[in-house]
Amino acid sequence: MSFFKRIFSSEKKETLDKGLEKTKTSFFSKLTKAIAGKSKVDDEVLDNLEEILVSSDVGVETTLKIIKRIEERVSNNKYLGTDELNQILREEISGLLSETMSGEESEFKIPANKNPYVIMVVGVNGVGKTTTIGKLAYQFKKSGYKVVLGAGDTFRAAAIDQLQIWADRVGVPIVKQQMGSDPASVAFDTLQSAVSQNADVVIIDTAGRLHNKVGLMSELSKVKRVMQKVIDDAPHDVLLVLDGSTGQNAFEQAKQFTAATEVSCLAVTKLDGTAKGGVVIGISDQFQIPVKYIGVGEGLEDLQVFNKYEFVDSFFK
């Protein structure tokens, strides 16, 4: 099925459309002003477009890639009308996302031969990490999987309490220890419990602080090593949670965490409350790490599996 003829699930797509409304409105109002009175894509239009993409938190490097691709199309076609710019942008952004991820999935599924499927969640405090874990647990449980949570952020008592609230709300078991306990010990106990319960999915929280990279790397590496005493290839995913509403700050957090540990996928939260949804495009391109989940609302259903086709369709709808 071609990119532009895909059929999307209506309820999920409506939520995504609504979640990206602020980003879309901001972007296209700027774009309309930039091409006002222009019939042809010329240097001035491209300069304006570059400024719009950067101000939409797509990021400088990714913006320059997009502009370069459009410049090549202009030089090949000699004449490109401004009325075609929307379609061209849609094609180039979808092309960039295609280089980073397959983007076909829309359902919460676990990988084959990973039972239990172990996710270690990292990210600073305040990005929606605990909420994302709770919503992930809900979605996996809804999909028929048995889920166990591990309260590995033992640095803050509130983190353990918050995760307990989510475990109770979703109705899944949680393994926890006292504040100040060794996070690796919590991870070990969680995996042992999950194996004994024949669980399908294990989601383990980690401390949400960016202390020096050496300390962070050492702590996360230890958690991984101890996990592997129970399940030799755990964790199967290291999920970095980023707050999409912080724009360029999310890029900086991605840099810090990818330097400290092997992040395998991303969750970008709080996209509904901001006009900075372009950050999804920039982060996925610059870090070459797939965005796996996006948060587009406060409800349990509003954490979605990221599907690049649905995202671009909502952005340019």
Side-chain angles (χ1 to χ4, degrees):
M1 190 183 292
S2 74
F3 178 89
F4 301 108
K5 292 183 180 176
R6 291 174 182 270
I7 299 170
F8 306 121
S9 129
S10 59
E11 189 175 337
K12 179 190 170 191
K13 189 61 168 52
E14 283 170 15
T15 302
L16 184 59
D17 290 346
K18 186 178 177 183
L20 292 178
E21 188 64 41
K22 288 183 180 178
T23 296
K24 185 173 69 171
T25 301
S26 172
F27 181 83
F28 284 107
S29 65
K30 291 175 186 174
L31 186 61
T32 300
K33 289 176 187 174
I35 62 176
K38 293 275 190 178
S39 59
K40 180 183 176 182
V41 177
D42 57 17
D43 288 344
E44 186 182 351
V45 168
L46 288 173
D47 285 345
N48 290 337
L49 178 59
E50 183 178 323
E51 189 177 324
I52 292 165
L53 289 167
V54 170
S55 68
S56 299
D57 286 281
V58 171
V60 174
E61 289 179 32
T62 304
T63 292
L64 292 176
K65 277 188 190 179
I66 294 168
I67 296 297
K68 184 179 178 183
R69 291 182 183 205
I70 296 174
E71 283 175 339
E72 287 170 359
R73 292 175 72 152
V74 170
S75 64
N76 290 336
N77 293 0
K78 301 303 177 192
Y79 182 92
L80 278 179
T82 51
D83 57 338
E84 299 172 81
L85 197 51
N86 188 322
Q87 180 69 13
I88 292 166
L89 274 168
R90 180 179 182 139
E91 290 169 6
E92 295 304 340
I93 289 171
S94 64
L96 272 181
L97 290 173
S98 295
E99 291 168 12
T100 315
M101 61 194 79
S102 61
E104 300 282 352
E105 281 295 341
S106 290
E107 304 301 323
F108 286 82
K109 295 178 182 176
I110 66 173
N113 306 318
K114 304 293 182 190
N115 204 340
Y117 167 46
V118 182
I119 307 168
M120 184 169 81
V121 183
V122 300
V124 300
N125 295 327
V127 296
K129 185 161 57 82
T130 309
T131 300
T132 298
I133 292 170
K135 290 180 179 179
L136 267 179
Y138 168 80
Q139 293 283 16
F140 279 122
K141 184 182 178 186
K142 184 184 170 189
S143 296
Y145 298 116
K146 187 171 185 178
V147 183
V148 174
L149 301 183
D153 183 356
T154 59
F155 186 68
R156 294 184 310 131
I160 300 170
D161 295 341
Q162 286 163 6
L163 201 62
Q164 179 69 65
I165 290 167
W166 273 105
D168 293 342
R169 182 179 178 187
V170 176
V172 297
I174 181 173
V175 175
K176 61 182 181 178
Q177 295 180 13
Q178 296 298 314
M179 178 186 168
S181 300
D182 182 359
S185 173
V186 177
F188 183 84
D189 287 354
T190 304
L191 262 60
Q192 279 200 322
S193 176
V195 169
S196 69
Q197 295 179 58
N198 200 26
D200 302 300
V201 181
V202 182
I203 309 173
I204 296 180
D205 192 12
T206 60
R209 65 195 192 282
L210 258 179
H211 41 319
N212 69 77
K213 286 182 196 174
V214 176
L216 181 66
M217 188 181 300
S218 174
E219 183 174 294
L220 295 178
S221 295
K222 182 182 176 185
V223 171
K224 285 184 185 179
R225 285 197 308 273
V226 171
M227 282 186 195
Q228 288 163 4
K229 292 180 180 179
V230 185
I231 299 170
D232 59 12
D233 59 346
H236 304 116
D237 265 322
V238 177
L239 175 67
L240 172 60
V241 181
L242 298 169
D243 179 350
S245 70
T246 63
Q248 290 306 300
N249 194 34
F251 278 86
E252 186 55 37
Q253 288 174 24
K255 278 184 193 174
Q256 296 276 348
F257 273 97
T258 52
T261 191
E262 293 177 7
V263 174
S264 60
C265 56
L266 305 171
V268 184
T269 66
K270 308 182 187 181
L271 290 175
D272 55 307
T274 177
K276 298 176 182 289
V279 75
V280 172
I281 300 162
I283 284 176
S284 62
D285 170 56
Q286 287 184 37
F287 293 96
Q288 294 296 296
I289 298 170
V291 176
K292 200 162 190 177
Y293 309 106
I294 54 173
V296 288
E298 294 182 5
L300 281 169
E301 302 280 354
D302 294 338
L303 181 74
Q304 299 187 356
V305 173
F306 179 75
N307 180 301
K308 69 186 177 194
Y309 301 111
E310 293 177 347
F311 182 85
V312 175
D313 186 77
S314 291
F315 193 88
F316 286 96
K317 191 170 181 180

